[in-house]
Amino acid sequence: MSNTVYSINGPVVKTKDSPSLSMLEMVYVGEKRLVGEVIGVSDGLTTIQVYESTTGLKPGEPIAPTGAPLSVTLGPGILSN
């Protein structure tokens, strides 16, 4: 059951028994590979914030770790404007 969706509450998804996920790691959630970020790790549950609509997502769908933090490529002028 590791690295699968256990529960969904709006943009917050939880998974059980997923030791391969770490804090602030970017993950892909579900068959649609929605972008998410691990925001909590406790004894048995890992909490993920999904940054796209979770409509249609259901328990049992896969969660794919990336091993990297969430990042964004900025274009020229973004920081100075």
Side-chain angles (χ1 to χ4, degrees):
M1 183 179 215
S2 70
N3 293 348
T4 60
V5 174
Y6 174 70
S7 70
I8 307 155
N9 187 3
V12 177
V13 170
K14 293 192 178 192
T15 181
K16 276 181 140 178
D17 304 323
S18 295
S20 63
L21 302 177
S22 57
M23 279 295 293
L24 304 177
E25 178 179 7
M26 185 177 102
V27 295
Y28 293 113
V29 180
E31 300 296 335
K32 293 182 180 177
R33 295 181 57 83
L34 305 173
V35 175
E37 180 179 19
V38 176
I39 59 169
V41 177
S42 64
D43 290 336
L45 289 175
T46 301
T47 305
I48 298 167
Q49 169 77 45
V50 178
Y51 296 110
E52 300 179 63
S53 173
T54 57
T55 302
L57 187 65
K58 54 190 178 295
E61 290 197 45
I63 297 173
T66 63
L70 185 65
S71 63
V72 175
T73 303
L74 300 176
I78 295 290
L79 295 176
S80 61
N81 289 331

